[in-house]
Amino acid sequence: MRRPVGRRRPPGARKPALRTLVRGLRARLVVAFLLVAALSALATAALTFREARTAILQRTQDTAVDALRGQVNSQAPDLRYPPGTAGLSKFATNLNRAGEAAQHWVVHVRFGDGPMVPSLRPGEDAAISTGVRKKVQAGIPAVQRVETDGRPWLVIGLPVTFSNDQRKPSGVEVFARIPLREDEANVQALVDAAQSGALPAVALAVVPALIAAGGVLRPVRELRRGAQRITEGALDTRLKVTGRDELAELSRTFNGMAAALEENVAELRRMEANARRFAADVSHELRTPLAAMTAVVDVLDEDAATLDPDTAYAVRLISEETGKLARMVEDLMEISRFDAGAAALHLDEVDVAETVRKTLQARNWQDEVTADLPDGVRARLDTRRIDVVVANLVGNALRHGGAPVHVTVRATEGDEAAVRATEGGSTSGPTPGRLLIEVADQGPGIDPEVLPHVFDRFYKADAARVRSEGSGLGLAITLENVRLHHGTIRAANRPGGGAVFTVDLPLRTGGDEE
């Protein structure tokens, strides 16, 4: 009877799912892990057999040495000293009889440089090597595995010491030969079994394991290289997608992510450029009306004393707010110059202490600020920008910290190790010293959560605070001016209370090149 066509299973209907399963990363990893597990099991078996061999031989050796030492200790006291040939023969016979059943040893004894008792037969003399004899003669027990006529033996040599002085040899030496043929046969059987099982498994596992590992690691390496290129700024990086497994899907996802990242970064750059241009344009356009407003406000401010109280208050308020607006516009223009890369550095060799002192005097801060300004510290600086740095830091400390504010200037020497390296042949010159300017206040310090953001533009520690005396750009401008001098600035809290800002600049002198 013919099967109805409608019920016939189409040939190959499950092939796509089967193909996906076979080619999938999971299947390859499972196979690879199974092969690695098998290889590990075989290696473990080989190590186990090796340890078993060592343990079997060591156990036989320890048991034989302990048994021989026990028999010698029990029978040596009956030996007359100095022993004659008859006494040595009886001593050896008793030892042989004691170990005949369990150890199957053959014992020979001698006194001093005398002959072995009983005498060694031809071929047996080589079994007890010269090294073993020398050690025993020196009062040191010796153990050695030897092979005589194709048979493995364990040779033990023990010196007999006086009972009242365990460290002084009596001259009597005991040598025992124990056959190891049965132990060696057992060990060899274990080794043969391990080798016969491990070698074929290892040979079969190496090739597919390497192929699977290569197939998995190749796209992973490509992903790593692609991620590295994107990290370096090459946002147009794309990966070649081959296959349909999980790694291929990961590569496609990576390409999609890279495309989205490139588009988003381009949009962010465009928006940032527009924002900077807008700030610069607005600041520039505001300067002219602000100049006129400032001039008018200055005139009104001079006549405020002749006005009625309400009008005078309004005039002073307008004057104060106009000044704030003017400072904000100047700050915006300054930060725009930094963003545009138009900020220039004009260096002159100056006395650092005198420069800082002039900044404090120009703002009448002598009563609120204490200073430690050593004479003789000279450096190449842009005095206008250093004035801005010091003024912003001290002003910020007075507003948000607590008086008195303390300013410290100090210089550190260059890196002596670098100087020695230069003297040894380097042409880069010694590392210059550092100029440190510290501004510390007596306030409550900076909140640890705020500390990482103190140099951010327009950052406010209190989100509810909508107005402040400054523009929110003072510390950001300070940071940019310090960077322009190739220096660094850091903020921290002092252990005793208060905040401290430290400016770290290279101490250039008149002979240093920019």
Side-chain angles (χ1 to χ4, degrees):
M1 178 181 294
R2 296 181 60 187
R3 177 180 297 180
V5 176
R7 299 181 60 185
R8 183 179 300 172
R9 176 175 297 174
R14 297 175 59 92
K15 285 185 179 179
L18 182 61
R19 187 182 298 113
T20 302
L21 180 62
V22 173
R23 294 181 179 179
L25 177 62
R26 179 179 300 177
R28 282 185 285 171
L29 288 176
V30 168
V31 172
F33 290 158
L34 288 176
L35 292 175
V36 171
L39 183 60
S40 301
L42 293 172
T44 303
L47 292 175
T48 302
F49 284 127
R50 190 183 69 176
E51 293 298 325
R53 176 182 182 275
T54 303
I56 290 173
L57 296 178
Q58 188 66 39
R59 184 183 61 184
T60 300
Q61 173 180 310
D62 294 343
T63 302
V65 170
D66 292 340
L68 181 61
R69 183 178 285 111
Q71 291 298 326
V72 169
N73 291 338
S74 65
Q75 298 186 32
D78 297 332
L79 184 64
R80 183 174 299 177
Y81 190 85
T85 303
L88 292 175
S89 178
K90 181 179 179 182
F91 184 45
T93 300
N94 292 337
L95 291 177
N96 278 318
R97 188 176 300 154
E100 181 178 3
Q103 304 298 331
H104 306 291
W105 60 42
V106 179
V107 176
H108 301 271
V109 298
R110 73 172 182 175
F111 178 75
D113 295 330
M116 291 287 185
V117 179
S119 300
L120 294 170
R121 291 177 295 179
E124 293 181 347
D125 186 76
I128 305 175
S129 65
T130 304
V132 173
R133 297 184 186 185
K134 286 183 177 180
K135 284 187 177 181
V136 175
Q137 253 184 341
I140 303 172
V143 180
Q144 185 179 19
R145 295 190 185 98
V146 299
E147 187 170 336
T148 305
D149 297 332
R151 298 177 61 187
W153 293 84
L154 178 67
V155 178
I156 304 173
L158 294 177
V160 179
T161 58
F162 288 104
S163 59
N164 59 351
D165 190 349
Q166 296 296 326
R167 292 175 296 179
K168 183 177 180 180
S170 64
V172 179
E173 301 168 356
V174 178
F175 299 91
R177 295 182 298 118
I178 302 171
L180 296 176
R181 183 171 57 185
E182 183 177 349
D183 293 337
E184 284 290 342
N186 293 335
V187 169
Q188 190 60 42
L190 292 174
V191 172
D192 292 342
Q195 290 179 348
S196 61
L199 293 179
V202 171
L204 292 174
V206 167
V207 175
L210 292 177
I211 294 175
V216 171
L217 294 179
R218 191 178 301 110
V220 172
R221 285 193 292 267
E222 291 297 325
L223 281 170
R224 180 181 60 81
R225 295 191 190 100
Q228 182 64 32
R229 287 195 293 269
I230 286 184
T231 303
E232 295 170 355
L235 300 181
D236 58 343
T237 301
R238 302 293 184 271
L239 300 180
K240 182 180 179 181
V241 180
T242 57
R244 297 183 178 180
D245 58 15
E246 289 85 348
L247 284 176
E249 289 298 326
L250 182 58
S251 298
R252 291 189 185 92
T253 303
F254 177 89
N255 290 340
M257 177 203 69
L261 182 62
E262 184 179 17
E263 182 179 352
N264 292 337
V265 169
E267 180 66 17
L268 287 174
R269 288 174 178 172
R270 185 186 64 80
M271 294 173 62
E272 183 180 8
N274 290 339
R276 289 177 178 176
R277 185 166 56 252
F278 173 78
D281 292 344
V282 169
S283 302
H284 187 271
E285 293 297 329
L286 284 176
R287 293 189 72 181
T288 301
L290 267 176
M293 291 172 60
T294 302
V296 173
V297 167
D298 288 342
V299 174
L300 293 175
D301 201 25
E302 291 177 357
D303 298 334
T306 62
L307 301 176
D308 61 89
D310 292 339
T311 304
Y313 174 78
V315 168
R316 292 190 182 93
L317 180 62
I318 293 174
S319 176
E320 181 180 352
E321 295 300 325
T322 302
K324 290 181 181 179
L325 182 59
R327 288 192 296 271
M328 181 178 296
V329 170
E330 290 298 326
D331 287 347
L332 284 172
M333 293 194 67
E334 184 71 7
I335 208 73
S336 298
R337 294 189 193 99
F338 285 114
D339 290 341
L345 194 65
H346 303 286
L347 296 178
D348 292 308
E349 185 169 346
V350 299
D351 187 306
V352 180
E354 184 63 23
T355 301
V356 174
R357 193 177 293 114
K358 288 181 179 179
T359 299
L360 301 179
Q361 291 174 352
R363 292 160 178 83
N364 295 320
W365 282 339
Q366 297 92 328
D367 296 335
E368 300 174 283
V369 178
T370 61
D372 183 6
L373 307 176
D375 296 328
V377 179
R378 302 188 64 83
R380 286 177 57 80
L381 303 171
D382 187 324
T383 54
R384 184 183 72 84
R385 297 191 181 279
I386 292 300
D387 175 78
V388 171
V389 169
V390 175
N392 282 345
L393 292 179
V394 174
N396 184 76
L398 291 173
R399 285 193 302 270
H400 304 292
V405 173
H406 188 70
V407 180
T408 304
V409 172
R410 56 191 175 93
T412 63
E413 297 181 357
D415 187 354
E416 296 181 359
V419 174
R420 289 195 296 270
T422 302
E423 295 173 350
S426 174
T427 58
S428 61
T431 302
R434 310 297 298 180
L435 172 64
L436 301 179
I437 303 175
E438 293 182 353
V439 178
D441 61 53
Q442 304 296 322
I446 305 174
D447 191 317
E449 295 183 358
V450 177
L451 201 57
H453 306 286
V454 292
F455 297 106
D456 293 351
R457 301 178 184 183
F458 305 109
Y459 180 79
K460 295 181 180 181
D462 185 2
R465 180 169 56 87
V466 295
R467 297 186 73 252
S468 63
E469 296 183 7
S471 63
L473 294 173
L475 291 180
I477 292 174
T478 300
L479 174 63
E480 296 295 342
N481 280 309
V482 171
R483 285 177 175 172
L484 204 60
H485 282 83
H486 306 290
T488 60
I489 183 171
R490 57 184 179 273
N493 289 317
R494 297 189 302 167
V500 58
F501 288 80
T502 304
V503 177
D504 187 341
L505 303 174
L507 189 61
R508 299 187 183 91
T509 60
D512 295 331
E513 294 183 1
E514 178 61 25

